[in-house]
Amino acid sequence: MRMNPGFGPEEIRSYLKVAGWSPVSGSDLAELWRLPGSSEEVVLVPMKPGAPDFAKRTNILLNDLCRIESRDAITVHDAIATVYHDVTDLRASHPSLSDGSIPLEAGYELFISAKRLRVASAAASIRRQGHFRNFPARARDQAREVRLGQTRRGSYIVPIISQARSPEDVYAPQQEHIDIEVEETLFDRRVTATMSRALGVLEEMASARRQPTLSEIADSVGEGVSYELCQALTKVVNTESVGALDITFNWSRVAAPPPGSSAQVEFNRDAIDIVDRISRHLRTQLYTREHVIYGVITDLSRRPEEETGRVGIETLIKRRRRTVWIDLADEPYHLAVRCHDTGTPVRVRGVLSSPPGGTASMEVRQFGPDTSLGSDE
């Protein structure tokens, strides 16, 4: 079967690298890659996407990989095409869905909920809030940037495809400035990490066989749970012909899964009853609004006699580069020094003050490495 590749040499090379292959020779036209082992497999990677025979050579490569990996062509093709992406599968299940189709109303709610989940998670990646009412514009924009994959048969599955990047290719020790384009790309991964963490916390509360305490609900806001996120779940699970919704996170093979993230969560009717109660509580309660910033440490200042250190973090605020100043106690300050020395991006949650033309500062609630990119320091 001849397939339109839909990807280029960089995707192929990255896929082969994480699968254990290594280059042995090459030119501007093609490279030979070898897979160590008893069979000593060698494949040819075409390097000129504009060449007339690029599709033909790529299909030969796909056939080789199908044989070596004992997988079908579509599976291998999709794995290469999404090597830089995270794929989140939303699966609606019910005994009546066994023929692979879904009632129109249930399908509509599933697709709409996919967007609602992304917008709510994007909003929580910018600031933590129990009930948003009005989402940040950046959150709505992010939902327009993610892609929807082909639906799959069986239980009804809707794949959401979002960008991911390897942090090793992005940051350097003692980096002086952030790259705005790179930061915009990494936001996709941060949103997916927030969604995974928030849904994991919700599932944990819903499966505890007891009502969540007010303290647990308040803490869940800090993990990204909001009224809008809960509503996105309840609307689809409460649809007739949908008995449960499970969400699977398939993390990019070139960016490590965020530590502590959930690989799969499931919400049935019983769980949704509890989620609905959490939702109603979040809607009526006032919580302190906290911002979340991501960036690199560019300034460190602390005298020997001082108990706290001053840290400057370059980040994006409303898509513009800004330095936010924070004060850290002894232990987190030393963590900041290590992040600066190793080029590890950081994430800070707290109350942000960023007057136009003035100095931006944050009253810190939480500081640490940006684990959404795979760092687990």
Side-chain angles (χ1 to χ4, degrees):
M1 178 175 64
R2 178 71 63 87
M3 300 179 68
N4 181 13
F7 50 75
E10 287 308 311
E11 285 89 346
I12 299 172
R13 298 171 88 243
S14 294
Y15 176 82
L16 292 176
K17 184 178 179 180
V18 297
W21 295 74
S22 56
V24 290
S25 64
S27 68
D28 292 341
L29 297 177
E31 290 183 350
L32 288 178
W33 284 64
R34 182 177 68 88
L35 180 65
S38 56
S39 59
E40 287 291 318
E41 297 284 356
V42 176
V43 294
L44 183 144
V45 177
M47 297 298 292
K48 289 287 187 182
D53 65 341
F54 180 78
K56 176 182 176 181
R57 300 297 176 192
T58 302
N59 274 274
I60 293 173
L61 170 64
L62 282 173
N63 289 332
D64 287 342
L65 293 176
C66 289
R67 173 183 55 79
I68 295 166
E69 298 179 4
S70 300
R71 299 200 293 175
D72 63 76
I74 293 177
T75 301
V76 175
H77 174 277
D78 291 349
I80 298 175
T82 59
V83 72
Y84 291 138
H85 295 82
D86 297 322
V87 181
T88 306
D89 288 331
L90 273 64
R91 185 172 73 96
S93 59
H94 189 278
S96 66
L97 303 182
S98 59
D99 66 351
S101 66
I102 191 171
L104 181 60
E105 182 182 355
Y108 170 80
E109 286 296 343
L110 185 62
F111 279 85
I112 292 296
S113 288
K115 180 181 179 182
R116 289 172 178 147
L117 285 171
R118 288 302 297 191
V119 175
S121 300
S125 299
I126 298 169
R127 64 177 188 246
R128 299 295 202 250
Q129 201 168 329
H131 183 196
F132 283 91
R133 296 182 177 85
N134 295 306
F135 288 119
R138 180 70 182 94
R140 296 186 183 280
D141 289 345
Q142 199 277 335
R144 298 188 186 98
E145 293 164 5
V146 297
R147 295 154 50 198
L148 198 62
Q150 293 287 342
T151 55
R152 300 169 191 155
R153 292 178 64 84
S155 296
Y156 202 79
I157 302 174
V158 173
I160 306 171
I161 303 171
S162 57
Q163 190 74 32
R165 284 281 299 274
S166 171
E168 290 80 9
D169 298 333
V170 176
Y171 294 102
Q174 302 183 22
Q175 186 166 321
E176 295 183 354
H177 297 289
I178 59 173
D179 184 311
I180 293 178
E181 186 175 344
V182 167
E183 284 297 310
E184 290 283 2
T185 300
L186 293 179
F187 187 66
D188 275 16
R189 160 53 78 99
R190 287 161 176 154
V191 171
T192 308
T194 299
M195 182 161 70
S196 168
R197 180 64 185 160
L199 293 177
V201 170
L202 261 183
E203 183 191 50
E204 191 175 323
M205 288 193 290
S207 61
R209 298 184 181 279
R210 60 173 175 78
Q211 294 298 316
T213 66
L214 298 182
S215 175
E216 288 172 334
I217 295 176
D219 290 344
S220 74
V221 174
E223 300 292 347
V225 174
S226 65
Y227 164 77
E228 288 81 3
L229 186 84
C230 296
Q231 284 294 292
L233 294 173
T234 56
K235 285 183 180 297
V236 64
V237 177
N238 283 335
T239 304
E240 189 177 355
S241 300
V242 174
L245 174 69
D246 72 65
I247 302 171
T248 305
F249 296 90
N250 306 289
W251 302 102
S252 164
R253 299 182 66 175
V254 297
S261 59
S262 300
Q264 184 177 19
V265 293
E266 179 174 341
F267 298 90
N268 55 27
R269 290 287 174 86
D270 292 339
I272 282 299
D273 286 343
I274 297 177
V275 171
D276 204 28
R277 291 172 199 162
I278 296 171
S279 169
R280 290 196 298 270
H281 183 79
L282 292 172
R283 188 180 187 183
T284 57
Q285 297 299 310
L286 290 177
Y287 294 95
T288 302
R289 190 174 78 175
E290 297 179 337
H291 282 80
V292 184
I293 62 170
Y294 310 86
V296 296
I297 294 172
T298 55
D299 294 273
L300 292 160
S301 175
R302 185 188 184 190
R303 295 180 183 279
E305 69 276 12
E306 291 178 335
E307 294 184 355
T308 63
R310 189 78 163 158
V311 177
I313 299 170
E314 193 167 86
T315 185
L316 289 185
I317 297 179
K318 296 182 179 179
R319 297 187 164 177
R320 293 189 177 183
R321 185 185 286 136
R322 293 283 300 271
T323 296
V324 176
W325 294 92
I326 62 175
D327 292 315
L328 295 177
D330 184 72
E331 184 175 342
Y333 181 80
H334 281 94
L335 176 59
V337 172
R338 292 199 297 275
C339 289
H340 177 254
D341 290 346
T342 58
T344 303
V346 297
R347 188 190 76 158
V348 192
R349 179 162 61 88
V351 180
L352 176 68
S353 172
S354 58
T359 300
S361 61
M362 176 175 273
E363 184 179 336
V364 178
R365 298 282 190 274
Q366 186 181 63
F367 169 85
D370 180 7
T371 56
S372 63
L373 305 182
S375 172
D376 58 356
E377 184 176 348

